[in-house]
Amino acid sequence: MIRAEEVYKIGRLGKSHGVKGEVSFQFDDDIFDRVDADYLVLDIDGILVPFFMEEYRFRNDSVCLVKFCDIDTQQRAQELTGCDVYFPRALAEEAEDVPSLASLVGFEIVDASNRKAIGTIADIDDSTVNILFEMENGMLIPANDDLIEDIDAEQRTITMNIPEGLLDI
């Protein structure tokens, strides 16, 4: 059984495409293309289920069409519409020296000056040039490379040099 902490969200499935079982996939992270992965994990009614990919093709830089094994009709593809798509953390960590932003959700931020935990990353705001870690407590912390001292994928922590006064806002 796949546990939530073993995967991270990379997108969502959209409408079916054509009559042979393809489905559109809106993704935030193209890790599935950069890492040799045979499957994606879909959230089916709260259960994380692996779906093996036969093939995929890109439509643009954030949407691709995916054909999953054993999904051979438009009706079967429609049943997957709206499912959140996840990627296994272990596969991503094996293949990349620098983790993708999406894989950092759930990591705990630690202040480098006093080694105290600040909180857990709930989401990543990359809608502007200045990327922000959105913390579970509502705080926003700049995800600037100059502030990040260390990323420990095994411990799921990010040690940061937090600018003075930022935590007082």
Side-chain angles (χ1 to χ4, degrees), residues 12-33:
R12 185 179 197 99
L13 294 182
K15 298 187 295 185
S16 63
H17 180 81
V19 294
K20 295 185 180 180
E22 282 186 314
V23 63
S24 67
F25 171 33
Q26 174 99 26
F27 57 90
D28 300 320
D29 187 343
D30 67 351
I31 186 75
F32 65 95
D33 188 49

Side-chain angles (χ1 to χ4, degrees), residues 120-133:
T120 303
I121 300 171
D123 201 7
I124 307 288
D125 180 354
D126 60 356
S127 61
T128 66
V129 173
N130 298 317
I131 298 170
L132 299 170
F133 292 134

Side-chain angles (χ1 to χ4, degrees), residues 6 13 21 43 50 63-64 67 69 76 83 86-87 93 105 111 119 127 131 141 144 148 154 157 167 169:
E6 295 173 339
L13 294 182
D43 183 343
V63 176
C64 72
K67 171 71 176 76
C69 294
R76 293 263 303 152
C83 288
Y86 295 85
F87 194 79
E93 290 166 2
V105 171
D111 189 344
S127 61
I131 298 170
I141 297 179
N144 186 304
I148 297 174
E154 189 172 304
T157 60
L167 301 177
I169 296 176

